[in-house]
Amino acid sequence: MTPLVVVLAAAAVTALLIAGYLFGARAGRAARAAMLEEREAQGARVMALEARLAAQPARPRDDQVKTELEGMLAPLLDRERIGRELSGIRVGGGGLGELPKLLDAIAQKAGFSHVVLSDESGLPLAASTGAAEVEALAGTAAFFLTLAERAERAELPRPMSCVVLDETNRMTLHRMFVVGAARYTVSAVSRGMNLAPGALDPALSPLERALTRREIA
């Protein structure tokens, strides 16, 4: 109900009350006739207002509004929670041997089917538990690294991530990153969940820490 409708309705009701009062207070026939006409006119306006009010959508209850807001905010809050958990993954000091555990943690926290880490030559360095088509994913990731190199040679902005949707409705996210002088790609596969190009960004910090320790070792 809009404020204008409320004001008009209140004015109409007030006018009706005043009209009834004057109808009883004034004794003259002309005055009574004028009041009757005014009362009928006010009644018509009230009926019109009631029709307008009936056409207004009902105001949802507070709990319904809360539920709708929670539904709209849920994906954003969930994405923020996953990002915090990915960036907070702890990296052990085991060098290359820690990478599978790290990829398992990324897959579990973000809900990926499997995660593969590969180098710039297209060779897989590590994969999460139960990962399938590891070599194929690493080879595809190397293809995107080649595209990034071509973009650099053409003085174009370097692509950093790519999301691929195949005919089986499987989505694969390839995220390229650099540690020292070496380039790597982390690839994540998901079914039934839309992947944004930046979905793996929070996981880059623990990956970079693990690979830096590997380089030092």
Side-chain angles (χ1 to χ4, degrees):
M1 185 184 299
T2 63
L4 177 60
V5 174
V6 174
V7 172
L8 291 176
V13 173
T14 303
L16 281 175
L17 293 175
I18 294 174
Y21 172 78
L22 292 177
F23 183 82
R26 296 183 181 180
R29 181 178 298 178
R32 288 198 300 269
M35 290 300 100
L36 284 173
E37 291 179 0
E38 180 63 20
R39 186 174 182 177
E40 290 175 356
Q42 292 289 351
R45 285 194 285 270
V46 169
M47 292 179 62
L49 284 172
E50 289 177 348
R52 290 179 59 185
L53 291 176
Q56 293 285 335
R59 181 181 178 183
R61 294 177 299 177
D62 291 341
D63 55 345
Q64 291 177 332
V65 174
K66 181 180 178 181
T67 301
E68 292 176 0
L69 289 176
E70 288 177 348
M72 290 186 292
L73 293 175
L76 297 176
L77 296 176
D78 193 49
R79 189 182 309 166
E80 183 180 354
R81 176 188 59 80
I82 292 174
R84 289 197 305 268
E85 292 182 357
L86 289 178
S87 61
I89 295 176
R90 294 186 177 182
V91 179
L96 189 61
E98 291 292 323
L99 289 175
K101 296 180 182 179
L102 177 56
L103 298 183
D104 282 342
I106 294 173
Q108 180 182 4
K109 293 181 182 299
F112 298 131
S113 300
H114 46 271
V115 182
V116 175
L117 177 68
S118 56
D119 62 13
E120 55 191 344
S121 300
L123 298 176
L125 298 177
S128 60
T129 302
E133 303 175 353
V134 174
E135 290 78 9
L137 280 174
T140 304
F143 171 74
F144 288 111
L145 280 175
T146 301
L147 290 180
E149 292 174 355
R150 290 182 178 178
E152 284 183 325
R153 288 196 295 267
E155 298 183 352
L156 297 173
R158 184 179 62 184
M160 301 302 297
S161 65
C162 178
V163 179
V164 179
L165 174 66
D166 63 24
E167 60 184 1
T168 66
N169 203 33
R170 183 182 71 171
M171 299 191 75
T172 304
L173 170 60
H174 300 283
R175 179 62 164 91
M176 288 76 78
F177 62 102
V178 178
V179 177
R183 296 185 178 184
Y184 301 91
T185 303
V186 56
S187 303
V189 178
S190 172
R191 289 188 184 274
M193 180 179 68
N194 290 329
L195 295 179
L200 281 170
D201 286 7
L204 295 184
S205 294
L207 282 171
E208 289 170 352
R209 290 195 296 268
L211 291 170
T212 299
R213 293 181 182 181
R214 171 177 176 264
E215 294 290 338
I216 294 175

